[in-house]
Amino acid sequence: MSKIKVGIVGGTGYTGVELLRLLARHPDVQLRAITSRSENGVPVSNMFPSLRGVVDLKFSDPASGILEACDAVFFATPHGVAMAQAPALLDKGVKVIDLGADFRLQDTEVFEKWYKLAHSTPDALKQAVYGLSELNREHIKSARLVGNPGCYPTTMQLGFYPLLKNNLVSANALIADCKSGVSGAGRKAEVGTLFCEAGDTFKAYGVSGHRHTPETLEQLTKMTAQKVNLIFTPHLTPMIRGMHSTLYATLLPEAVAMSNDELQKVFESTYVKEPFVDVMPWGSHPETRSVRGSNMLRMALHRNGDVVIVLVVQDNLVKGAAGQAVQNMNIMFGLEETAGLLGVGLVP
Amino acid sequence: MSKIKVGIVGGTGYTGVELLRLLARHPDVQLRAITSRSENGVPVSNMFPSLRGVVDLKFSDPASGILEACDAVFFATPHGVAMAQAPALLDKGVKVIDLGADFRLQDTEVFEKWYKLAHSTPDALKQAVYGLSELNREHIKSARLVGNPGCYPTTMQLGFYPLLKNNLVSANALIADCKSGVSGAGRKAEVGTLFCEAGDTFKAYGVSGHRHTPETLEQLTKMTAQKVNLIFTPHLTPMIRGMHSTLYATLLPEAVAMSNDELQKVFESTYVKEPFVDVMPWGSHPETRSVRGSNMLRMALHRNGDVVIVLVVQDNLVKGAAGQAVQNMNIMFGLEETAGLLGVGLVP
Amino acid sequence: MSKIKVGIVGGTGYTGVELLRLLARHPDVQLRAITSRSENGVPVSNMFPSLRGVVDLKFSDPASGILEACDAVFFATPHGVAMAQAPALLDKGVKVIDLGADFRLQDTEVFEKWYKLAHSTPDALKQAVYGLSELNREHIKSARLVGNPGCYPTTMQLGFYPLLKNNLVSANALIADCKSGVSGAGRKAEVGTLFCEAGDTFKAYGVSGHRHTPETLEQLTKMTAQKVNLIFTPHLTPMIRGMHSTLYATLLPEAVAMSNDELQKVFESTYVKEPFVDVMPWGSHPETRSVRGSNMLRMALHRNGDVVIVLVVQDNLVKGAAGQAVQNMNIMFGLEETAGLLGVGLVP
Amino acid sequence: MSKIKVGIVGGTGYTGVELLRLLARHPDVQLRAITSRSENGVPVSNMFPSLRGVVDLKFSDPASGILEACDAVFFATPHGVAMAQAPALLDKGVKVIDLGADFRLQDTEVFEKWYKLAHSTPDALKQAVYGLSELNREHIKSARLVGNPGCYPTTMQLGFYPLLKNNLVSANALIADCKSGVSGAGRKAEVGTLFCEAGDTFKAYGVSGHRHTPETLEQLTKMTAQKVNLIFTPHLTPMIRGMHSTLYATLLPEAVAMSNDELQKVFESTYVKEPFVDVMPWGSHPETRSVRGSNMLRMALHRNGDVVIVLVVQDNLVKGAAGQAVQNMNIMFGLEETAGLLGVGLVP
């Protein structure tokens, strides 16, 4: 089979360089273009010397037409960009995967409320498929446009799913206390993410409202007939990559009698065939570093009375962003789902 | 007034060196002795060059009798040590502050269950006062023996207290999702706290049971007539000092109508006179670094429907250990409560 | 004695907040004003919550005239600012300490070459005294305008001084391999000092030319009749505060016969009376953390054949900036030189 | 071709787990055994959850005979172990690569002086080949026993080699100011490498003598007819992986007239065909993170008068240990030299 021709829009951020790292070694991919208006003509490896000898491309002008000649284009851009450019690519038969927020929320009113931006392509949005690979694989197979999930929502959905799907917990009092490495904030020059501001300290942020809440709510609602309510508390932790979500859910009266073994089996059977979800033995404490640089999401269960505690870890830039995007590309193009994604977590 | 003569048992760990840092500059204290069997005769500043020119003491043998000549002795030792040595000191009229766990729990059965050790001095224990300075000041004033609180329990108690005391939340479903810097694990040589094991990663630990749960439960129970249930989830975060507790409590039906302003005022009025508790404006996100090296504990409130979220930060080695111990000494000896404790948080 | 009224220009950076931390607890100082055009009217503690309850000032407009009413004004500003504003203050009898570069170099041609800026006040510059406290104390006593040294130059000068002053090494082949924590780069929003760019990595920078070279050369030249040549290689290391300089100097033939003991004594006798220079025993390895938050500079000697190696550490924000500035203020106003500067290094 | 059967002795340390990470994805390797007396029977992935689903082996008893059935055995052990066990394996026709120090130094007197241990197998030592892949490739091809270089020596040799080989600098005054991440100290439980001891601080160590000096001297001496003298100053920097060596060498009078371009070409032509040595453009500042997790060694040149400064970075666990060991295995078995080693540096 000939290789898939791939383009990237917005390759100067962390999800962009992570896509490059993964795609450069992907056996079925030919990297064709990476665009950046501001860096047009600059070799990618000048900005990221880690790619010297690996990626020979230069940043190119997004207006050059090179993206239209690709089979697949990834948008690693702030919200608003994909929505403006995707329709023309789709018209040319290019498949599009947006790592931003433009195609995650089907409810455009909710989108506009949280992103302060009218949705300019509701038609494209309608055909967009939400790219949580494990839970939406069948739709992704035939998708032409995928809205890749946010990092936090990936952990919350995969962690709560077995409980909600099987109607074991109350959906009305879910708590997700989540901790992210600083790379989640992107590569923008901002005081708050300077080494001396974010290092050796810990804080919550956005406790009164975060854009990943409506995205997660929309998806969790599909999993259950119950009314869903979610308290989501994000925190910033002084590490580069990694995300740890501590999920709390209260067993319904009819499920309280379940043994820990039974609960564990619910999770194991849900994910037994998944190459990128690892359910650890009951009572384990997964570490984020165990998935550093890897597309694996790892979880473990605990219980305190009626409350089930699910600990979930992932690399926010891989399973939480670029890795899952590649996983979705693999699904969309009928490739081996694990192609290019078998890198092992870098420990230590 | 002549200075208080102070001794320290076990000065080679982090709470020990922190006591030295604080006491060396305390205006009313004369450091007399610091004991360590293994380091007997070694100048303290050999082990901690930060103390060169500041502390001239050598480690001395605990059997030398020098502690009996002190006015106050701090135990910065693992559990079991203070319980063995405190009674003899108390008999000589020395006041004792134990930073370990020996005198925190009045229920000796609970103590034995969690610490796998019979309590050898139940008589001394009976006169021990729990040293949460803000909530127990009157008893500490006349105490001869103080059990200094654990680091996590300090944040949980001060954070939940205004809600429980005023009967605003259900005590039956308290959740404390807590994150500690690595210094909380002490200065023992262990693989798990090596730089390359604890750095650039995040994990929970002890989710199925932690010794700070029974201590906190015993104290929270005193605050309310309700039955108390607490889910406590500790995490290790890659920073040296600092602790962040994210507390969740559900408003009782009779309190749901309270406005955010009213809730805020409950907290502000509770702590308005406290020199070491700072209630930030509603909706703030306190950072642990804002109290790095300082005895301040800082908190802020958020709300999501019926759930009140209290964010609490402290330096685990200061307000969470050595600083609060000095605060208690100040109270016990009738000194200015802030004496020696006015250092400002080191930022950045 | 009435307190010294102090103002700060440019208090939003790291040297500014460090001045605030030190001056807020200085027994002889009354903080009067801190100016910032952009933050005019904002309480300082809004920007730096570590100062809540410690500093009650609001940022004020530099044009308000409040600085003229001070006894001393610190400039914690980029180069160019102090040179524009200091003359008017000096005319009013205000003493000025500039933590920037405007008054460090007496040679205005060199200044203009390295800072790409004409020196606008050569007259003020002529009366400026270089503020390396230990080596220039007598001039600082009567100074009205002090150019506070750069961070790297402080370590290089104090480390090489005993060797050059006593004519023990060749001045023609000095090498200074220096490593700085990231706070040395300031609090500007720049990609290069983001947590995810500067964390968990190490690099040199400015190897082909750094502004601290001419400053150091000008000063080293005063110490010896030899022609001075210096190779200065700065590096960025993933820590917040701290600076470590590894200095290499080759013994002159007439000094090669000196024993290690004799070399050690040269250093010890040079600094024996200095409260803020600590010569450790021969062969020690000083750690930057031993001076974290402290005004101490610590050094130790090693030797390999004819080459003497001096290891020097300081906190770049304290002895390398704000602390030394306060030390200079103490000297200028006839205060105890250590006033407000006795904080102990924060370990761990 | 059938896969190479590989065993590892001592897989519980950082070089061991790094070998596992690399070999598990090596296309021509079958991992057969990993031995550890203390962990016998424990699944490797219990100790390193990053290997769950990647490595299914259990630790086995080194006495089980399983190693003798391998084609190649790596020793990731402290010195003394390989020397005791290698001869028996060699007798069985197993090829051996020792990542420890036992087969690095041909001079057994020097070995015994620095390692306080008599060399027990001088015969095996005689056939051992020093495994600096780039400089010794032809001998490695036919080697049955390889002594894999130390991490620091790899950077010093590859950095100084073009200068010494071409007789451009004085070999008598080489200075190597080197900085290592903490993983270089291994996974032993020791106070000095705890997170709270090695984090947020910087120090030199072993300045008066380090075991990598004699190893490097022995090799540098082969490169030139001059007498070699080396000052080697190792430092510990608060990052997990990565090594940065700043090398200083003084041009010989006959080379002083060379232009920077000519010097650059010397380096580029030396390494033009090397897949794992990257000479960056003149004046670059390589970052350690650009090779995080990768087998690449990256360098760049600067000059200050007569002194050439070579900046060299590598991942100490990859090119400085496990990666170069795999590279040597590839060479010994006639495989593609880059097989299994094409992972891209993990940035950020």
Side-chain angles (χ1 to χ4, degrees):
Chain A
M1 196 182 83
S2 68
K3 296 199 171 189
I4 296 167
K5 298 187 288 292
V6 169
I8 299 173
V9 182
T12 64
Y14 291 141
T15 50
V17 64
E18 189 68 356
L19 279 171
L20 288 167
R21 183 179 74 88
L22 295 170
L23 293 171
R25 296 296 192 226
H26 193 296
D28 307 313
V29 160
Q30 184 191 14
L31 264 177
R32 265 301 177 79
I34 172 159
T35 66
S36 163
R37 205 165 272 122
S38 63
E39 306 291 331
N40 184 14
V42 176
V44 170
S45 62
N46 280 21
M47 178 169 284
F48 298 112
S50 58
L51 300 175
R52 284 173 59 89
V54 177
V55 173
D56 291 333
L57 290 174
K58 296 180 181 181
F59 289 106
S60 56
D61 188 327
S64 68
I66 196 167
L67 296 172
E68 283 81 350
C70 291
D71 300 309
V73 167
F74 293 87
F75 282 86
T77 47
H79 58 274
V81 177
M83 163 160 90
Q85 302 183 17
L89 292 169
L90 292 168
D91 283 350
K92 301 274 184 182
V94 183
K95 295 184 181 177
V96 170
I97 300 171
D98 177 27
L99 284 79
D102 292 1
F103 300 105
R104 290 175 186 164
L105 285 161
Q106 283 298 330
D107 187 328
T108 53
E109 279 186 37
V110 172
F111 179 86
E112 293 175 26
K113 176 184 162 196
W114 286 87
Y115 291 91
K116 314 294 177 202
L117 188 69
H119 205 292
S120 63
T121 57
D123 287 350
L125 179 59
K126 266 179 215 143
Q127 46 167 305
V129 171
Y130 186 72
L132 202 298
S133 315
E134 285 74 15
L135 305 186
N136 228 7
R137 187 175 283 120
E138 290 312 307
H139 292 101
I140 296 167
K141 277 183 186 169
S142 54
R144 299 171 55 229
L145 170 59
V146 163
N148 211 56
C151 47
Y152 288 118
T154 296
T155 61
M156 293 190 271
Q157 289 171 65
L158 290 173
F160 282 129
Y161 174 70
L163 296 169
L164 290 175
K165 182 70 189 326
N166 294 287
N167 223 31
L168 303 178
V169 298
S170 164
N172 196 33
L174 302 173
I175 294 181
D177 193 284
C178 302
K179 301 87 178 175
S180 175
V182 183
S183 63
R187 198 166 164 266
K188 294 175 300 293
E190 291 186 341
V191 169
T193 49
L194 290 177
F195 184 86
C196 297
E197 300 290 311
D200 207 37
T201 191
F202 189 93
K203 68 168 181 181
Y205 67 99
V207 176
S208 299
H210 189 286
R211 289 163 170 174
H212 285 177
T213 302
E215 174 187 344
T216 308
L217 276 177
E218 189 172 297
Q219 298 300 323
L220 294 184
T221 298
K222 295 182 187 169
M223 300 177 189
T224 174
Q226 301 179 60
K227 177 170 164 31
V228 178
N229 193 31
L230 170 71
I231 293 178
F232 164 48
T233 317
H235 301 76
L236 197 65
T237 185
M239 62 185 178
I240 295 177
R241 289 164 178 254
M243 175 166 285
H244 185 291
S245 293
T246 309
L247 310 179
Y248 301 88
T250 305
L251 290 167
L252 289 167
E254 54 268 37
V256 165
M258 285 184 76
S259 70
N260 294 350
D261 266 8
E262 289 169 317
L263 277 168
Q264 174 78 8
K265 273 184 193 131
V266 168
F267 276 72
E268 287 181 356
S269 63
T270 303
Y271 295 123
V272 62
K273 292 191 181 160
E274 291 299 338
F276 295 123
V277 179
D278 176 24
V279 180
M280 298 181 78
W282 181 273
S284 297
H285 299 101
E287 301 177 285
T288 61
R289 66 173 186 154
S290 80
V291 294
R292 186 190 289 137
S294 144
N295 197 49
M296 189 66 71
L297 177 145
R298 196 155 266 147
M299 61 176 73
L301 293 169
H302 294 253
R303 182 176 180 174
N304 188 317
D306 295 357
V307 176
V308 178
I309 304 170
V310 190
L311 309 177
V312 187
V313 298
Q314 70 176 1
D315 185 323
N316 56 306
L317 295 180
V318 192
K319 183 60 180 168
Q324 185 157 233
V326 172
Q327 186 179 355
N328 285 329
M329 179 197 74
N330 290 344
I331 296 172
M332 293 162 85
F333 284 85
L335 306 173
E336 189 72 34
E337 191 167 328
T338 59
L341 294 172
L342 291 174
V344 182
L346 198 68
V347 172
Chain B
M1 195 181 86
S2 69
K3 296 198 171 191
I4 296 168
K5 297 188 288 290
V6 168
I8 299 173
V9 182
T12 65
Y14 291 141
T15 50
V17 64
E18 189 67 356
L19 279 171
L20 288 167
R21 183 178 74 90
L22 295 170
L23 293 171
R25 296 296 192 225
H26 194 296
D28 308 313
V29 161
Q30 184 192 13
L31 264 177
R32 266 298 179 80
I34 172 159
T35 66
S36 163
R37 203 164 274 122
S38 63
E39 306 292 330
N40 185 13
V42 176
V44 169
S45 62
N46 280 21
M47 178 168 284
F48 299 112
S50 57
L51 299 175
R52 285 172 59 89
V54 177
V55 174
D56 291 333
L57 290 174
K58 297 181 181 182
F59 288 106
S60 57
D61 188 328
S64 68
I66 195 167
L67 296 172
E68 284 81 351
C70 291
D71 300 310
V73 167
F74 293 87
F75 282 86
T77 47
H79 58 275
V81 177
M83 149 164 101
Q85 301 182 19
L89 291 169
L90 292 168
D91 284 350
K92 300 273 184 184
V94 182
K95 294 185 180 178
V96 170
I97 300 172
D98 177 27
L99 284 80
D102 293 1
F103 299 104
R104 291 174 186 164
L105 286 161
Q106 282 299 330
D107 187 328
T108 54
E109 279 186 38
V110 173
F111 178 86
E112 293 176 25
K113 176 183 162 197
W114 286 87
Y115 291 91
K116 315 292 178 203
L117 187 69
H119 205 292
S120 62
T121 57
D123 288 348
L125 178 60
K126 266 177 215 146
Q127 45 168 307
V129 171
Y130 186 71
L132 202 300
S133 315
E134 285 75 13
L135 305 186
N136 229 6
R137 186 175 282 120
E138 290 312 308
H139 292 101
I140 296 167
K141 277 183 186 169
S142 53
R144 299 172 56 229
L145 170 60
V146 162
N148 211 56
C151 46
Y152 287 118
T154 296
T155 61
M156 292 190 272
Q157 289 171 66
L158 290 173
F160 281 129
Y161 174 70
L163 296 170
L164 290 175
K165 181 71 189 327
N166 294 287
N167 222 33
L168 303 177
V169 298
S170 164
N172 195 33
L174 303 173
I175 294 182
D177 193 284
C178 302
K179 302 87 179 174
S180 175
V182 184
S183 63
R187 199 166 162 267
K188 295 174 300 294
E190 290 185 343
V191 168
T193 48
L194 291 176
F195 183 86
C196 297
E197 300 289 311
D200 207 38
T201 190
F202 189 92
K203 68 168 181 180
Y205 67 99
V207 176
S208 299
H210 188 286
R211 290 164 170 173
H212 285 177
T213 303
E215 173 187 344
T216 308
L217 276 177
E218 189 172 298
Q219 297 300 323
L220 294 184
T221 298
K222 295 182 188 168
M223 299 178 191
T224 174
Q226 300 178 60
K227 175 168 164 32
V228 178
N229 193 31
L230 171 71
I231 293 179
F232 164 48
T233 317
H235 301 77
L236 196 65
T237 186
M239 62 184 178
I240 295 177
R241 290 164 178 253
M243 174 165 286
H244 185 292
S245 292
T246 309
L247 311 180
Y248 301 89
T250 305
L251 290 167
L252 289 167
E254 55 267 37
V256 165
M258 285 184 77
S259 70
N260 294 351
D261 266 7
E262 289 169 318
L263 277 167
Q264 176 77 7
K265 276 188 190 126
V266 168
F267 275 73
E268 287 181 356
S269 63
T270 302
Y271 294 124
V272 62
K273 293 192 182 159
E274 291 299 337
F276 296 123
V277 178
D278 176 24
V279 179
M280 298 181 79
W282 181 273
S284 297
H285 299 100
E287 301 178 284
T288 61
R289 66 172 185 154
S290 79
V291 295
R292 187 190 289 135
S294 144
N295 197 50
M296 190 65 71
L297 177 145
R298 197 156 267 147
M299 62 175 71
L301 293 169
H302 294 253
R303 181 176 180 173
N304 189 319
D306 296 356
V307 176
V308 178
I309 304 170
V310 190
L311 310 176
V312 187
V313 299
Q314 70 175 2
D315 184 323
N316 57 305
L317 295 181
V318 192
K319 183 59 181 167
Q324 186 158 232
V326 172
Q327 186 179 355
N328 285 330
M329 180 197 75
N330 290 344
I331 297 172
M332 294 162 84
F333 285 86
L335 305 172
E336 189 72 33
E337 190 166 328
T338 59
L341 294 172
L342 291 174
V344 183
L346 198 68
V347 172
Chain C
M1 195 179 83
S2 67
K3 295 198 172 191
I4 296 167
K5 297 186 289 291
V6 168
I8 300 174
V9 182
T12 64
Y14 291 141
T15 51
V17 64
E18 189 68 356
L19 279 171
L20 287 168
R21 183 180 73 89
L22 295 171
L23 293 171
R25 295 296 192 225
H26 193 297
D28 307 314
V29 161
Q30 183 191 15
L31 264 177
R32 266 300 180 80
I34 172 158
T35 67
S36 163
R37 203 164 275 122
S38 62
E39 306 292 330
N40 186 13
V42 176
V44 170
S45 61
N46 279 21
M47 180 169 283
F48 298 112
S50 57
L51 300 176
R52 283 172 60 90
V54 177
V55 173
D56 291 332
L57 290 173
K58 296 180 181 183
F59 288 107
S60 56
D61 188 327
S64 67
I66 196 168
L67 295 172
E68 284 80 352
C70 292
D71 300 310
V73 168
F74 293 86
F75 282 86
T77 48
H79 58 274
V81 177
M83 142 168 107
Q85 301 182 17
L89 292 169
L90 292 168
D91 283 350
K92 300 274 183 182
V94 182
K95 295 184 180 178
V96 170
I97 300 172
D98 177 27
L99 284 78
D102 292 1
F103 299 105
R104 290 174 185 165
L105 284 161
Q106 282 299 329
D107 187 327
T108 53
E109 281 187 35
V110 173
F111 179 86
E112 294 177 24
K113 175 182 162 197
W114 286 87
Y115 291 90
K116 314 294 179 203
L117 187 68
H119 205 292
S120 62
T121 57
D123 287 350
L125 179 60
K126 264 178 214 145
Q127 45 167 307
V129 171
Y130 186 72
L132 201 302
S133 315
E134 285 75 14
L135 305 185
N136 229 6
R137 186 174 284 120
E138 290 311 309
H139 293 100
I140 296 166
K141 277 183 187 169
S142 53
R144 299 172 55 231
L145 171 59
V146 163
N148 211 56
C151 48
Y152 288 118
T154 296
T155 62
M156 293 190 271
Q157 289 171 65
L158 290 173
F160 282 131
Y161 174 70
L163 296 169
L164 290 175
K165 180 71 190 324
N166 294 287
N167 223 30
L168 302 178
V169 298
S170 165
N172 196 33
L174 303 173
I175 294 180
D177 193 284
C178 302
K179 300 89 179 174
S180 176
V182 183
S183 63
R187 198 166 164 268
K188 294 176 298 293
E190 291 185 341
V191 169
T193 48
L194 290 177
F195 185 87
C196 297
E197 300 289 311
D200 207 38
T201 189
F202 189 94
K203 68 168 181 179
Y205 67 99
V207 176
S208 299
H210 188 286
R211 289 163 170 173
H212 285 176
T213 303
E215 174 187 343
T216 308
L217 276 176
E218 189 172 296
Q219 297 300 323
L220 294 183
T221 298
K222 294 182 187 169
M223 299 178 190
T224 173
Q226 301 178 58
K227 176 172 165 26
V228 178
N229 194 29
L230 170 70
I231 293 177
F232 165 48
T233 317
H235 301 76
L236 197 64
T237 186
M239 62 185 178
I240 295 178
R241 289 163 179 254
M243 175 166 284
H244 185 293
S245 292
T246 310
L247 310 179
Y248 301 89
T250 305
L251 289 167
L252 289 167
E254 54 269 37
V256 165
M258 285 183 78
S259 70
N260 294 352
D261 266 7
E262 288 169 318
L263 278 168
Q264 175 77 8
K265 277 188 188 127
V266 168
F267 275 72
E268 287 181 357
S269 63
T270 302
Y271 294 123
V272 63
K273 292 189 183 161
E274 292 299 338
F276 295 123
V277 179
D278 176 24
V279 179
M280 297 181 79
W282 182 273
S284 297
H285 298 101
E287 300 178 283
T288 61
R289 66 172 185 156
S290 80
V291 295
R292 187 190 290 137
S294 143
N295 197 49
M296 189 66 71
L297 177 145
R298 198 156 265 146
M299 60 175 73
L301 294 168
H302 294 254
R303 182 177 179 173
N304 188 316
D306 296 358
V307 176
V308 178
I309 304 170
V310 190
L311 310 177
V312 187
V313 298
Q314 72 176 3
D315 184 322
N316 55 305
L317 294 181
V318 192
K319 183 60 181 169
Q324 185 157 231
V326 172
Q327 187 180 354
N328 285 329
M329 179 197 74
N330 289 346
I331 297 172
M332 293 161 85
F333 284 85
L335 306 172
E336 190 72 31
E337 191 166 330
T338 59
L341 294 172
L342 291 174
V344 182
L346 198 68
V347 172
Chain D
M1 195 180 84
S2 69
K3 296 199 172 188
I4 296 168
K5 297 187 288 291
V6 169
I8 299 173
V9 182
T12 64
Y14 291 140
T15 51
V17 65
E18 189 68 356
L19 280 171
L20 287 168
R21 183 179 73 90
L22 296 170
L23 294 170
R25 295 296 191 224
H26 194 295
D28 307 314
V29 161
Q30 184 192 15
L31 265 177
R32 266 299 180 80
I34 172 158
T35 67
S36 162
R37 203 164 275 123
S38 62
E39 306 292 330
N40 185 13
V42 176
V44 170
S45 62
N46 280 21
M47 179 169 283
F48 298 112
S50 57
L51 300 175
R52 284 172 61 90
V54 177
V55 173
D56 290 333
L57 290 174
K58 296 180 181 182
F59 289 107
S60 57
D61 189 327
S64 68
I66 196 167
L67 296 171
E68 284 81 351
C70 291
D71 300 310
V73 167
F74 293 87
F75 282 85
T77 47
H79 58 275
V81 177
M83 149 165 102
Q85 301 182 18
L89 291 170
L90 292 167
D91 284 350
K92 301 275 183 181
V94 182
K95 294 184 180 178
V96 170
I97 300 172
D98 177 27
L99 284 78
D102 292 1
F103 299 105
R104 291 174 185 164
L105 285 161
Q106 282 299 330
D107 187 328
T108 54
E109 280 187 36
V110 172
F111 178 87
E112 294 176 24
K113 175 182 163 199
W114 286 87
Y115 291 90
K116 315 294 177 202
L117 186 70
H119 205 291
S120 63
T121 58
D123 287 350
L125 178 60
K126 265 178 214 143
Q127 46 167 306
V129 171
Y130 185 73
L132 202 299
S133 314
E134 285 75 13
L135 305 185
N136 229 6
R137 184 174 285 118
E138 290 312 308
H139 292 102
I140 296 167
K141 277 183 187 169
S142 54
R144 298 172 55 232
L145 171 60
V146 162
N148 211 56
C151 47
Y152 288 118
T154 295
T155 63
M156 292 190 273
Q157 289 171 65
L158 290 174
F160 282 130
Y161 174 72
L163 295 169
L164 290 176
K165 181 71 190 326
N166 294 287
N167 223 31
L168 302 178
V169 298
S170 164
N172 196 33
L174 303 173
I175 293 180
D177 193 284
C178 301
K179 301 87 180 176
S180 176
V182 183
S183 63
R187 200 167 163 269
K188 295 175 299 294
E190 290 185 343
V191 169
T193 48
L194 290 178
F195 184 86
C196 297
E197 301 288 311
D200 207 38
T201 189
F202 190 93
K203 69 168 181 180
Y205 67 99
V207 176
S208 299
H210 188 286
R211 288 162 171 175
H212 285 176
T213 302
E215 174 187 343
T216 309
L217 276 176
E218 190 173 296
Q219 297 300 324
L220 294 183
T221 297
K222 294 182 187 169
M223 300 177 190
T224 174
Q226 301 179 59
K227 175 168 165 30
V228 178
N229 193 31
L230 170 70
I231 293 177
F232 165 49
T233 318
H235 301 76
L236 196 65
T237 186
M239 63 185 177
I240 295 177
R241 289 163 178 255
M243 175 165 285
H244 186 291
S245 293
T246 310
L247 310 179
Y248 301 89
T250 305
L251 289 167
L252 288 168
E254 54 268 36
V256 165
M258 285 183 77
S259 70
N260 294 351
D261 266 7
E262 289 169 318
L263 278 168
Q264 175 77 8
K265 277 188 189 126
V266 168
F267 275 72
E268 287 181 357
S269 63
T270 302
Y271 294 123
V272 63
K273 292 190 182 162
E274 292 299 338
F276 295 123
V277 179
D278 176 24
V279 179
M280 297 181 80
W282 180 274
S284 297
H285 298 101
E287 300 178 283
T288 61
R289 66 173 185 155
S290 80
V291 295
R292 187 190 290 137
S294 144
N295 197 49
M296 190 66 71
L297 177 144
R298 198 155 266 145
M299 60 176 73
L301 293 168
H302 294 253
R303 182 176 179 174
N304 188 318
D306 296 356
V307 176
V308 179
I309 304 170
V310 191
L311 309 177
V312 187
V313 298
Q314 71 175 2
D315 184 323
N316 56 305
L317 295 181
V318 192
K319 183 60 179 169
Q324 185 158 231
V326 172
Q327 187 180 355
N328 285 329
M329 180 198 75
N330 289 345
I331 297 172
M332 293 162 84
F333 284 85
L335 306 173
E336 190 72 31
E337 191 166 327
T338 59
L341 294 171
L342 291 174
V344 182
L346 198 69
V347 172

